[in-house]
């Protein structure tokens, strides 16, 4: 690893088509990638290559100050508990996929768990660069590009 470059870790929570693409591309972009899927029934059958590690909870993902956490589904019942646990760790960045025009359900879930507003505000939404992404692959690319831009202190776009 180059001097001054921190380790790159991407923890994607929830198995989804977007998660599969994001984890596959994350490895190519130099991230150690981890899939966290709390519902063990969603990973049954022949394992598919998603990244470096598959776990069922955030504790096993070993979050640290070099870790970016992305929730790849905004309709799961576990969102509040997962985000609360992520916010209690020293993660570099936390975000959840979702439409930018409506308040995400994670806000109410976190309030119901008595998470302070300043902590709720740490959860990025929308995430990724504004490229009009629609497909899982486009969403994954936009998200990874946004994480890389943020990590490198860049605005992400065509202005240099």
């Amino acid at each position: 690893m180059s001097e001054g470059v921190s380790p790159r870790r991407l923890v994607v929570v929830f198995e989804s088509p977007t998660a599969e693409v994001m984890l596959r591309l994350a490895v190519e972009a130099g991230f150690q990638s981890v899939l966290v899927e709390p519902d063990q029934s969603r990973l049954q059958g022949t394992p598919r290559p998603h990244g470096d590690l598959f776990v069922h909870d955030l504790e096993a993902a070993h979050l640290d100050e070099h870790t970016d956490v992305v929730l790849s589904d905004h309709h799961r019942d576990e969102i509040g508990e997962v985000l609360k646990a992520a916010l209690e760790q020293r993660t570099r960045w936390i975000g959840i996929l979702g439409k930018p025009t409506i308040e995400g359900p994670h806000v109410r879930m976190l309030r119901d768990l008595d998470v302070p507003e300043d902590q709720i505000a740490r959860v990025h939404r929308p995430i990724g660069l504004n490229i009009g992404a629609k497909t899982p692959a486009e969403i994954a690319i936009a998200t990874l590009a946004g994480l890389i831009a943020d990590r490198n202190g860049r605005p992400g776009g065509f202005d240099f």
Side-chain angles (χ1 to χ4, degrees), residues 103-133:
E103 181 175 84
H106 70 285
V107 174
R108 171 62 38 218
M109 290 177 181
L110 289 171
R111 286 180 181 146
D112 290 347
L113 293 170
D114 297 320
V115 174
E117 291 295 321
D118 65 321
Q119 290 299 300
I120 295 172
R122 288 182 52 210
V123 179
H124 296 268
R125 184 172 177 273
I127 59 175
L129 299 184
N130 181 3
I131 61 171

PDB file of all heavy atoms in Angstrom, residues 103-133:
ATOM      1  N   GLU A 103     -38.320  11.427   2.129  1.00  0.00           N
ATOM      2  CA  GLU A 103     -37.536  11.066   3.307  1.00  0.00           C
ATOM      3  C   GLU A 103     -37.480   9.552   3.407  1.00  0.00           C
ATOM      4  O   GLU A 103     -38.500   8.870   3.276  1.00  0.00           O
ATOM      5  CB  GLU A 103     -38.164  11.648   4.573  1.00  0.00           C
ATOM      6  CG  GLU A 103     -37.365  11.313   5.823  1.00  0.00           C
ATOM      7  CD  GLU A 103     -37.918  11.977   7.056  1.00  0.00           C
ATOM      8  OE1 GLU A 103     -38.856  11.416   7.655  1.00  0.00           O
ATOM      9  OE2 GLU A 103     -37.413  13.057   7.404  1.00  0.00           O
ATOM     10  N   GLY A 104     -36.318   9.025   3.633  1.00  0.00           N
ATOM     11  CA  GLY A 104     -36.156   7.581   3.721  1.00  0.00           C
ATOM     12  C   GLY A 104     -36.773   7.021   4.987  1.00  0.00           C
ATOM     13  O   GLY A 104     -36.820   7.698   6.022  1.00  0.00           O
ATOM     14  N   PRO A 105     -37.249   5.788   4.936  1.00  0.00           N
ATOM     15  CA  PRO A 105     -37.837   5.159   6.120  1.00  0.00           C
ATOM     16  C   PRO A 105     -36.833   4.984   7.255  1.00  0.00           C
ATOM     17  O   PRO A 105     -37.228   4.834   8.409  1.00  0.00           O
ATOM     18  CB  PRO A 105     -38.333   3.806   5.600  1.00  0.00           C
ATOM     19  CG  PRO A 105     -37.558   3.556   4.358  1.00  0.00           C
ATOM     20  CD  PRO A 105     -37.242   4.891   3.773  1.00  0.00           C
ATOM     21  N   HIS A 106     -35.555   5.055   6.927  1.00  0.00           N
ATOM     22  CA  HIS A 106     -34.538   4.902   7.965  1.00  0.00           C
ATOM     23  C   HIS A 106     -34.604   6.007   9.009  1.00  0.00           C
ATOM     24  O   HIS A 106     -34.284   5.789  10.174  1.00  0.00           O
ATOM     25  CB  HIS A 106     -33.137   4.849   7.344  1.00  0.00           C
ATOM     26  CG  HIS A 106     -32.681   6.144   6.777  1.00  0.00           C
ATOM     27  ND1 HIS A 106     -33.156   6.653   5.586  1.00  0.00           N
ATOM     28  CD2 HIS A 106     -31.797   7.060   7.245  1.00  0.00           C
ATOM     29  CE1 HIS A 106     -32.575   7.813   5.339  1.00  0.00           C
ATOM     30  NE2 HIS A 106     -31.746   8.076   6.330  1.00  0.00           N
ATOM     31  N   VAL A 107     -35.061   7.199   8.603  1.00  0.00           N
ATOM     32  CA  VAL A 107     -35.118   8.328   9.533  1.00  0.00           C
ATOM     33  C   VAL A 107     -36.091   8.006  10.664  1.00  0.00           C
ATOM     34  O   VAL A 107     -35.749   8.137  11.853  1.00  0.00           O
ATOM     35  CB  VAL A 107     -35.505   9.630   8.798  1.00  0.00           C
ATOM     36  CG1 VAL A 107     -35.704  10.764   9.786  1.00  0.00           C
ATOM     37  CG2 VAL A 107     -34.442   9.988   7.763  1.00  0.00           C
ATOM     38  N   ARG A 108     -37.291   7.576  10.345  1.00  0.00           N
ATOM     39  CA  ARG A 108     -38.289   7.226  11.366  1.00  0.00           C
ATOM     40  C   ARG A 108     -37.799   6.038  12.201  1.00  0.00           C
ATOM     41  O   ARG A 108     -37.937   6.039  13.422  1.00  0.00           O
ATOM     42  CB  ARG A 108     -39.632   6.897  10.699  1.00  0.00           C
ATOM     43  CG  ARG A 108     -40.686   6.313  11.599  1.00  0.00           C
ATOM     44  CD  ARG A 108     -41.199   7.146  12.784  1.00  0.00           C
ATOM     45  NE  ARG A 108     -41.345   8.549  12.521  1.00  0.00           N
ATOM     46  CZ  ARG A 108     -41.058   9.518  13.409  1.00  0.00           C
ATOM     47  NH1 ARG A 108     -40.617   9.203  14.615  1.00  0.00           N
ATOM     48  NH2 ARG A 108     -41.208  10.777  13.118  1.00  0.00           N
ATOM     49  N   MET A 109     -37.211   5.049  11.547  1.00  0.00           N
ATOM     50  CA  MET A 109     -36.727   3.877  12.283  1.00  0.00           C
ATOM     51  C   MET A 109     -35.674   4.271  13.312  1.00  0.00           C
ATOM     52  O   MET A 109     -35.685   3.784  14.443  1.00  0.00           O
ATOM     53  CB  MET A 109     -36.152   2.840  11.313  1.00  0.00           C
ATOM     54  CG  MET A 109     -37.174   2.164  10.453  1.00  0.00           C
ATOM     55  SD  MET A 109     -36.327   1.028   9.302  1.00  0.00           S
ATOM     56  CE  MET A 109     -37.706   0.380   8.393  1.00  0.00           C
ATOM     57  N   LEU A 110     -34.758   5.152  12.922  1.00  0.00           N
ATOM     58  CA  LEU A 110     -33.708   5.587  13.849  1.00  0.00           C
ATOM     59  C   LEU A 110     -34.279   6.452  14.967  1.00  0.00           C
ATOM     60  O   LEU A 110     -33.873   6.328  16.129  1.00  0.00           O
ATOM     61  CB  LEU A 110     -32.604   6.318  13.092  1.00  0.00           C
ATOM     62  CG  LEU A 110     -31.741   5.424  12.202  1.00  0.00           C
ATOM     63  CD1 LEU A 110     -30.812   6.257  11.332  1.00  0.00           C
ATOM     64  CD2 LEU A 110     -30.951   4.429  13.038  1.00  0.00           C
ATOM     65  N   ARG A 111     -35.230   7.320  14.640  1.00  0.00           N
ATOM     66  CA  ARG A 111     -35.887   8.118  15.700  1.00  0.00           C
ATOM     67  C   ARG A 111     -36.601   7.212  16.689  1.00  0.00           C
ATOM     68  O   ARG A 111     -36.563   7.455  17.897  1.00  0.00           O
ATOM     69  CB  ARG A 111     -36.853   9.114  15.070  1.00  0.00           C
ATOM     70  CG  ARG A 111     -36.159  10.277  14.407  1.00  0.00           C
ATOM     71  CD  ARG A 111     -37.140  11.249  13.788  1.00  0.00           C
ATOM     72  NE  ARG A 111     -36.419  12.339  13.155  1.00  0.00           N
ATOM     73  CZ  ARG A 111     -36.826  12.961  12.049  1.00  0.00           C
ATOM     74  NH1 ARG A 111     -37.970  12.615  11.462  1.00  0.00           N
ATOM     75  NH2 ARG A 111     -36.109  13.939  11.541  1.00  0.00           N
ATOM     76  N   ASP A 112     -37.274   6.176  16.189  1.00  0.00           N
ATOM     77  CA  ASP A 112     -37.973   5.229  17.061  1.00  0.00           C
ATOM     78  C   ASP A 112     -37.007   4.486  17.978  1.00  0.00           C
ATOM     79  O   ASP A 112     -37.407   4.007  19.042  1.00  0.00           O
ATOM     80  CB  ASP A 112     -38.787   4.230  16.233  1.00  0.00           C
ATOM     81  CG  ASP A 112     -39.999   4.853  15.560  1.00  0.00           C
ATOM     82  OD1 ASP A 112     -40.376   6.004  15.901  1.00  0.00           O
ATOM     83  OD2 ASP A 112     -40.572   4.195  14.668  1.00  0.00           O
ATOM     84  N   LEU A 113     -35.751   4.386  17.574  1.00  0.00           N
ATOM     85  CA  LEU A 113     -34.717   3.749  18.390  1.00  0.00           C
ATOM     86  C   LEU A 113     -33.957   4.768  19.246  1.00  0.00           C
ATOM     87  O   LEU A 113     -32.918   4.454  19.828  1.00  0.00           O
ATOM     88  CB  LEU A 113     -33.738   2.988  17.486  1.00  0.00           C
ATOM     89  CG  LEU A 113     -34.315   1.773  16.771  1.00  0.00           C
ATOM     90  CD1 LEU A 113     -33.339   1.254  15.717  1.00  0.00           C
ATOM     91  CD2 LEU A 113     -34.654   0.675  17.779  1.00  0.00           C
ATOM     92  N   ASP A 114     -34.469   6.005  19.296  1.00  0.00           N
ATOM     93  CA  ASP A 114     -33.878   7.086  20.096  1.00  0.00           C
ATOM     94  C   ASP A 114     -32.464   7.463  19.677  1.00  0.00           C
ATOM     95  O   ASP A 114     -31.641   7.868  20.502  1.00  0.00           O
ATOM     96  CB  ASP A 114     -33.912   6.742  21.596  1.00  0.00           C
ATOM     97  CG  ASP A 114     -35.327   6.600  22.116  1.00  0.00           C
ATOM     98  OD1 ASP A 114     -36.196   7.398  21.707  1.00  0.00           O
ATOM     99  OD2 ASP A 114     -35.568   5.678  22.931  1.00  0.00           O
ATOM    100  N   VAL A 115     -32.180   7.337  18.393  1.00  0.00           N
ATOM    101  CA  VAL A 115     -30.882   7.779  17.871  1.00  0.00           C
ATOM    102  C   VAL A 115     -30.943   9.303  17.742  1.00  0.00           C
ATOM    103  O   VAL A 115     -31.895   9.843  17.172  1.00  0.00           O
ATOM    104  CB  VAL A 115     -30.585   7.111  16.510  1.00  0.00           C
ATOM    105  CG1 VAL A 115     -29.319   7.672  15.894  1.00  0.00           C
ATOM    106  CG2 VAL A 115     -30.490   5.600  16.680  1.00  0.00           C
ATOM    107  N   PRO A 116     -29.956  10.018  18.262  1.00  0.00           N
ATOM    108  CA  PRO A 116     -29.961  11.490  18.183  1.00  0.00           C
ATOM    109  C   PRO A 116     -29.940  11.992  16.734  1.00  0.00           C
ATOM    110  O   PRO A 116     -29.363  11.353  15.849  1.00  0.00           O
ATOM    111  CB  PRO A 116     -28.679  11.900  18.909  1.00  0.00           C
ATOM    112  CG  PRO A 116     -28.267  10.702  19.712  1.00  0.00           C
ATOM    113  CD  PRO A 116     -28.801   9.501  19.003  1.00  0.00           C
ATOM    114  N   GLU A 117     -30.537  13.154  16.525  1.00  0.00           N
ATOM    115  CA  GLU A 117     -30.643  13.739  15.181  1.00  0.00           C
ATOM    116  C   GLU A 117     -29.283  13.946  14.534  1.00  0.00           C
ATOM    117  O   GLU A 117     -29.146  13.765  13.321  1.00  0.00           O
ATOM    118  CB  GLU A 117     -31.417  15.063  15.228  1.00  0.00           C
ATOM    119  CG  GLU A 117     -32.884  14.908  15.550  1.00  0.00           C
ATOM    120  CD  GLU A 117     -33.681  14.148  14.493  1.00  0.00           C
ATOM    121  OE1 GLU A 117     -33.429  14.336  13.285  1.00  0.00           O
ATOM    122  OE2 GLU A 117     -34.559  13.350  14.888  1.00  0.00           O
ATOM    123  N   ASP A 118     -28.261  14.333  15.320  1.00  0.00           N
ATOM    124  CA  ASP A 118     -26.945  14.552  14.719  1.00  0.00           C
ATOM    125  C   ASP A 118     -26.361  13.246  14.191  1.00  0.00           C
ATOM    126  O   ASP A 118     -25.615  13.244  13.210  1.00  0.00           O
ATOM    127  CB  ASP A 118     -25.978  15.232  15.696  1.00  0.00           C
ATOM    128  CG  ASP A 118     -25.635  14.383  16.904  1.00  0.00           C
ATOM    129  OD1 ASP A 118     -26.534  13.686  17.436  1.00  0.00           O
ATOM    130  OD2 ASP A 118     -24.467  14.425  17.344  1.00  0.00           O
ATOM    131  N   GLN A 119     -26.702  12.135  14.803  1.00  0.00           N
ATOM    132  CA  GLN A 119     -26.247  10.837  14.313  1.00  0.00           C
ATOM    133  C   GLN A 119     -27.042  10.409  13.080  1.00  0.00           C
ATOM    134  O   GLN A 119     -26.483   9.871  12.129  1.00  0.00           O
ATOM    135  CB  GLN A 119     -26.350   9.776  15.410  1.00  0.00           C
ATOM    136  CG  GLN A 119     -25.350   9.976  16.525  1.00  0.00           C
ATOM    137  CD  GLN A 119     -23.929   9.887  16.000  1.00  0.00           C
ATOM    138  OE1 GLN A 119     -23.520   8.879  15.461  1.00  0.00           O
ATOM    139  NE2 GLN A 119     -23.172  10.969  16.137  1.00  0.00           N
ATOM    140  N   ILE A 120     -28.356  10.654  13.095  1.00  0.00           N
ATOM    141  CA  ILE A 120     -29.190  10.348  11.924  1.00  0.00           C
ATOM    142  C   ILE A 120     -28.669  11.112  10.715  1.00  0.00           C
ATOM    143  O   ILE A 120     -28.618  10.581   9.605  1.00  0.00           O
ATOM    144  CB  ILE A 120     -30.673  10.668  12.204  1.00  0.00           C
ATOM    145  CG1 ILE A 120     -31.213   9.735  13.300  1.00  0.00           C
ATOM    146  CG2 ILE A 120     -31.508  10.546  10.927  1.00  0.00           C
ATOM    147  CD1 ILE A 120     -32.602  10.088  13.796  1.00  0.00           C
ATOM    148  N   ALA A 121     -28.230  12.340  10.930  1.00  0.00           N
ATOM    149  CA  ALA A 121     -27.724  13.182   9.838  1.00  0.00           C
ATOM    150  C   ALA A 121     -26.435  12.623   9.233  1.00  0.00           C
ATOM    151  O   ALA A 121     -26.071  13.001   8.115  1.00  0.00           O
ATOM    152  CB  ALA A 121     -27.499  14.604  10.337  1.00  0.00           C
ATOM    153  N   ARG A 122     -25.744  11.738   9.920  1.00  0.00           N
ATOM    154  CA  ARG A 122     -24.523  11.118   9.376  1.00  0.00           C
ATOM    155  C   ARG A 122     -24.820  10.131   8.254  1.00  0.00           C
ATOM    156  O   ARG A 122     -23.923   9.757   7.501  1.00  0.00           O
ATOM    157  CB  ARG A 122     -23.754  10.378  10.475  1.00  0.00           C
ATOM    158  CG  ARG A 122     -23.067  11.274  11.469  1.00  0.00           C
ATOM    159  CD  ARG A 122     -22.281  10.462  12.494  1.00  0.00           C
ATOM    160  NE  ARG A 122     -21.376   9.512  11.867  1.00  0.00           N
ATOM    161  CZ  ARG A 122     -21.023   8.346  12.410  1.00  0.00           C
ATOM    162  NH1 ARG A 122     -21.485   7.963  13.579  1.00  0.00           N
ATOM    163  NH2 ARG A 122     -20.189   7.542  11.777  1.00  0.00           N
ATOM    164  N   VAL A 123     -26.077   9.687   8.165  1.00  0.00           N
ATOM    165  CA  VAL A 123     -26.455   8.701   7.155  1.00  0.00           C
ATOM    166  C   VAL A 123     -26.735   9.435   5.844  1.00  0.00           C
ATOM    167  O   VAL A 123     -27.672  10.215   5.740  1.00  0.00           O
ATOM    168  CB  VAL A 123     -27.690   7.893   7.588  1.00  0.00           C
ATOM    169  CG1 VAL A 123     -28.066   6.883   6.505  1.00  0.00           C
ATOM    170  CG2 VAL A 123     -27.431   7.194   8.922  1.00  0.00           C
ATOM    171  N   HIS A 124     -25.903   9.183   4.851  1.00  0.00           N
ATOM    172  CA  HIS A 124     -26.042   9.831   3.546  1.00  0.00           C
ATOM    173  C   HIS A 124     -27.184   9.206   2.753  1.00  0.00           C
ATOM    174  O   HIS A 124     -27.307   7.995   2.680  1.00  0.00           O
ATOM    175  CB  HIS A 124     -24.740   9.692   2.740  1.00  0.00           C
ATOM    176  CG  HIS A 124     -23.590  10.390   3.355  1.00  0.00           C
ATOM    177  ND1 HIS A 124     -23.253  11.678   3.052  1.00  0.00           N
ATOM    178  CD2 HIS A 124     -22.703   9.974   4.288  1.00  0.00           C
ATOM    179  CE1 HIS A 124     -22.198  12.034   3.745  1.00  0.00           C
ATOM    180  NE2 HIS A 124     -21.842  11.015   4.512  1.00  0.00           N
ATOM    181  N   ARG A 125     -27.998  10.066   2.155  1.00  0.00           N
ATOM    182  CA  ARG A 125     -29.051   9.615   1.257  1.00  0.00           C
ATOM    183  C   ARG A 125     -29.537  10.826   0.507  1.00  0.00           C
ATOM    184  O   ARG A 125     -29.909  11.792   1.136  1.00  0.00           O
ATOM    185  CB  ARG A 125     -30.197   8.984   2.041  1.00  0.00           C
ATOM    186  CG  ARG A 125     -31.252   8.411   1.095  1.00  0.00           C
ATOM    187  CD  ARG A 125     -32.256   7.629   1.902  1.00  0.00           C
ATOM    188  NE  ARG A 125     -33.306   7.140   1.058  1.00  0.00           N
ATOM    189  CZ  ARG A 125     -34.402   7.842   0.752  1.00  0.00           C
ATOM    190  NH1 ARG A 125     -34.581   9.040   1.223  1.00  0.00           N
ATOM    191  NH2 ARG A 125     -35.310   7.315  -0.031  1.00  0.00           N
ATOM    192  N   PRO A 126     -29.515  10.857  -0.781  1.00  0.00           N
ATOM    193  CA  PRO A 126     -29.099   9.781  -1.678  1.00  0.00           C
ATOM    194  C   PRO A 126     -27.582   9.601  -1.632  1.00  0.00           C
ATOM    195  O   PRO A 126     -26.867  10.432  -1.073  1.00  0.00           O
ATOM    196  CB  PRO A 126     -29.546  10.279  -3.056  1.00  0.00           C
ATOM    197  CG  PRO A 126     -29.469  11.768  -2.949  1.00  0.00           C
ATOM    198  CD  PRO A 126     -29.870  12.076  -1.521  1.00  0.00           C
ATOM    199  N   ILE A 127     -27.134   8.510  -2.220  1.00  0.00           N
ATOM    200  CA  ILE A 127     -25.699   8.252  -2.263  1.00  0.00           C
ATOM    201  C   ILE A 127     -25.271   8.122  -3.718  1.00  0.00           C
ATOM    202  O   ILE A 127     -26.074   7.865  -4.596  1.00  0.00           O
ATOM    203  CB  ILE A 127     -25.310   6.995  -1.463  1.00  0.00           C
ATOM    204  CG1 ILE A 127     -26.023   5.748  -2.005  1.00  0.00           C
ATOM    205  CG2 ILE A 127     -25.643   7.169   0.003  1.00  0.00           C
ATOM    206  CD1 ILE A 127     -25.587   4.455  -1.334  1.00  0.00           C
ATOM    207  N   GLY A 128     -23.995   8.324  -3.943  1.00  0.00           N
ATOM    208  CA  GLY A 128     -23.473   8.195  -5.302  1.00  0.00           C
ATOM    209  C   GLY A 128     -23.561   9.504  -6.065  1.00  0.00           C
ATOM    210  O   GLY A 128     -24.128  10.489  -5.612  1.00  0.00           O
ATOM    211  N   LEU A 129     -22.968   9.483  -7.234  1.00  0.00           N
ATOM    212  CA  LEU A 129     -22.985  10.660  -8.096  1.00  0.00           C
ATOM    213  C   LEU A 129     -24.317  10.743  -8.831  1.00  0.00           C
ATOM    214  O   LEU A 129     -24.924   9.722  -9.155  1.00  0.00           O
ATOM    215  CB  LEU A 129     -21.834  10.586  -9.105  1.00  0.00           C
ATOM    216  CG  LEU A 129     -20.426  10.547  -8.517  1.00  0.00           C
ATOM    217  CD1 LEU A 129     -19.400  10.582  -9.643  1.00  0.00           C
ATOM    218  CD2 LEU A 129     -20.189  11.677  -7.536  1.00  0.00           C
ATOM    219  N   ASN A 130     -24.740  11.947  -9.097  1.00  0.00           N
ATOM    220  CA  ASN A 130     -26.014  12.189  -9.783  1.00  0.00           C
ATOM    221  C   ASN A 130     -25.815  11.996 -11.283  1.00  0.00           C
ATOM    222  O   ASN A 130     -25.553  12.937 -12.019  1.00  0.00           O
ATOM    223  CB  ASN A 130     -26.514  13.599  -9.483  1.00  0.00           C
ATOM    224  CG  ASN A 130     -27.840  13.895 -10.149  1.00  0.00           C
ATOM    225  OD1 ASN A 130     -28.437  13.043 -10.800  1.00  0.00           O
ATOM    226  ND2 ASN A 130     -28.302  15.118  -9.985  1.00  0.00           N
ATOM    227  N   ILE A 131     -25.946  10.734 -11.725  1.00  0.00           N
ATOM    228  CA  ILE A 131     -25.785  10.425 -13.147  1.00  0.00           C
ATOM    229  C   ILE A 131     -27.086   9.893 -13.745  1.00  0.00           C
ATOM    230  O   ILE A 131     -27.102   9.384 -14.861  1.00  0.00           O
ATOM    231  CB  ILE A 131     -24.631   9.423 -13.388  1.00  0.00           C
ATOM    232  CG1 ILE A 131     -24.898   8.085 -12.686  1.00  0.00           C
ATOM    233  CG2 ILE A 131     -23.302  10.029 -12.953  1.00  0.00           C
ATOM    234  CD1 ILE A 131     -23.912   6.991 -13.049  1.00  0.00           C
ATOM    235  N   GLY A 132     -28.169   9.971 -12.969  1.00  0.00           N
ATOM    236  CA  GLY A 132     -29.440   9.453 -13.452  1.00  0.00           C
ATOM    237  C   GLY A 132     -29.488   7.937 -13.447  1.00  0.00           C
ATOM    238  O   GLY A 132     -30.183   7.337 -14.257  1.00  0.00           O
ATOM    239  N   ALA A 133     -28.776   7.308 -12.533  1.00  0.00           N
ATOM    240  CA  ALA A 133     -28.689   5.847 -12.480  1.00  0.00           C
ATOM    241  C   ALA A 133     -30.060   5.222 -12.251  1.00  0.00           C
ATOM    242  O   ALA A 133     -30.827   5.683 -11.410  1.00  0.00           O
ATOM    243  CB  ALA A 133     -27.735   5.426 -11.366  1.00  0.00           C
TER     244      ALA A 133
END
